[in-house]
Amino acid sequence: MNSDALLRLENVVKKFGRFTALHGVDLEIHEGEFFTIVGPSGSGKSTMIRLLVGMDEVSDGAIWLRDKRIDETPAHERPTCMVFQSLALFPHMSVGQNIEFPLKLRRITPGKRKARALELLDLLRLPRDYYFKRISQCSGGEQQRVALARALAFEPEILFFDEPLSALDYRLRKTLEKELKDLHHRTGKTFVYITHSLEEAMVMSDRIAIMKDGRFEQIAVADEIYSQPVSRFVAEFMGEVNLFEVTSTGGLLSGSGLEVDPDVARTDLPEGEKGLLMVRPEYVRFGDGTDGFEYTISGRLLEEYALGSRIQYEVETAGGRIVTVEKLREDRATSESGSDVTLGFDAANTHLIVEN
C-alpha cells in the first residue's frame, strides 16, 4: 500500500446485530494533523473512535497505520493512546505514578520512568513537585494535564481523545482548548479528537469531519465547512444560518419572498432547478431602501437577544419565515420590536446548496 496518510480507513463497516453504526467509511488522516470528528448523539463518532483504538472490531473493511493493517491488532499492541472523558486516572496513586504507569507496564527502569515523568510535567506546564501530589488533590484542569502526560509517556504515534473536556465548566474548557492546540503544536503529534461541540472543533482543528447516521457528511477545514456546507444538515449543524428555498429562473435565483437585483451575479444552476441559498446571520443587514443590496426581504422585527459582544435579531417575513441577523453590540439596530424592517445581503456572502 502506498499513501502519504498516517491513518487510513477503507470501506469500514460496523454492525451491532441488525443495526449498522458505520456504513462503508473511508478516511485519511495525515501525520501531525489535529483532526476532529463532530456529530450529534447517535451519529457514529464514538463507534468510530472505539474501532480506531482497538476497543471494538470492524465488521468489514480495513484500518491502516502507514502501510500496516492494524484493525486486527490488539489495542495494547497499537502505537496509539486514548484520553477518555472520565480520564481514568488512578486516585490512589500520585501524579508521578499515574504518568509512569504505561512505562511500568513496558518494564522501563524506575530511574528512566521518573525522568520521563518529570519531562512531561515540564511539557504540560505543571510544577515538578506535583510528581508526589495525589490525584485527589489536583483540580479538574490539573487532572486533565496529568491524563495528557500519561498518554504521551510512551511516545504514541497518534493520540485519540473521546470528549475529554465535556464535563468541565465553560471557563476551564476554553482554557484547555487553547492548551491542547498549543500542546499539539509543541509535540508535533497526530491528534484525533471526538466531540459534539462545534466550538471546540473550530478552535482547535486543522480539519473537521461532520458525521451523520454513520457516514461522513463533509470533511474540510473549519472555514470551508462554515462558509460552503454541502448540505442543509451541515449548514445547520455549523451554527445559526438562514436558508432560503430558491429556484433558477431566467438565470437568477428567486423565491422565499426574496427580491433580487437583476444585475446580481447570475447562477449556473439549470433553469427550473431548486436549491437552498444560504447566508449566515452576520452577513444580513438592516436597510432603509437606499442601500443597494443584491437580495432584499421585508418583515417585522420580533425580538433581540444579547449574546455577549453580539446582538441577535429575529425577523418574521410575510411568508412566516424567521430570518436571523447578528450585529456587534456597538452597531445595535435602532428599530424596536414590532416595527417593519427591510433586510439585505449580497451574493458574495451567500452559498448555494444543491442536494440530490
Side-chain angles (χ1 to χ4, degrees), residues 12 14 19 43-44 79-81 83 124 131 147 156 169 175 181 187 189 191 194 245-246 250 277 294 313 321 350 355:
V12 169
K14 179 59 181 176
F19 174 70
S43 61
T80 61
C81 194
V83 179
L124 273 298
Y131 180 87
D169 64 71
T175 298
K181 186 172 184 178
T187 62
K189 295 289 184 183
F191 284 12
I194 299 289
E245 293 86 1
V246 293
L277 187 66
E294 293 173 330
Y313 301 89
R321 176 183 303 277
T350 67
E355 296 182 304

Side-chain angles (χ1 to χ4, degrees), residues 237-273:
F237 190 80
M238 289 295 286
E240 293 285 350
V241 67
N242 298 301
L243 295 170
F244 300 93
E245 293 86 1
V246 293
T247 304
S248 176
T249 307
L252 297 175
L253 298 175
S254 61
S256 298
L258 289 172
E259 295 183 19
V260 187
D261 183 333
D263 294 326
V264 71
R266 305 181 77 79
T267 180
D268 294 329
L269 193 65
E271 183 75 12
E273 289 293 311

Side-chain angles (χ1 to χ4, degrees), residues 202-263:
M202 295 190 73
V203 167
M204 298 186 292
S205 313
D206 295 319
R207 285 192 302 154
I208 298 172
I210 307 294
M211 285 202 82
K212 177 190 177 187
D213 298 333
R215 295 180 175 88
F216 287 125
E217 192 87 351
Q218 186 171 3
I219 302 175
V221 298
D223 284 348
E224 181 178 335
I225 293 181
Y226 184 77
S227 62
Q228 300 174 52
V230 299
S231 65
R232 176 190 287 270
F233 173 80
V234 175
E236 294 176 338
F237 190 80
M238 289 295 286
E240 293 285 350
V241 67
N242 298 301
L243 295 170
F244 300 93
E245 293 86 1
V246 293
T247 304
S248 176
T249 307
L252 297 175
L253 298 175
S254 61
S256 298
L258 289 172
E259 295 183 19
V260 187
D261 183 333
D263 294 326

Side-chain angles (χ1 to χ4, degrees), residues 298-313:
S298 299
R300 179 172 59 90
L301 180 60
L302 293 180
E303 193 57 83
E304 69 172 53
Y305 303 94
L307 303 175
S309 62
R310 297 167 293 120
I311 303 293
Q312 186 179 95
Y313 301 89

Side-chain angles (χ1 to χ4, degrees), residues 285-297:
R285 289 169 285 167
F286 290 96
D288 59 10
T290 64
D291 305 272
F293 296 127
E294 293 173 330
Y295 290 97
T296 57
I297 192 166

Side-chain angles (χ1 to χ4, degrees), residues 299-346:
R300 179 172 59 90
L301 180 60
L302 293 180
E303 193 57 83
E304 69 172 53
Y305 303 94
L307 303 175
S309 62
R310 297 167 293 120
I311 303 293
Q312 186 179 95
Y313 301 89
E314 286 191 350
V315 174
E316 184 179 23
T317 69
R321 176 183 303 277
I322 301 298
V323 180
T324 304
V325 185
E326 281 191 8
K327 297 173 69 68
L328 293 175
R329 181 176 286 274
E330 58 266 30
D331 296 328
R332 197 175 204 142
T334 56
S335 301
E336 296 181 354
S337 297
S339 60
D340 293 330
V341 295
T342 298
L343 303 177
F345 51 90
D346 293 328

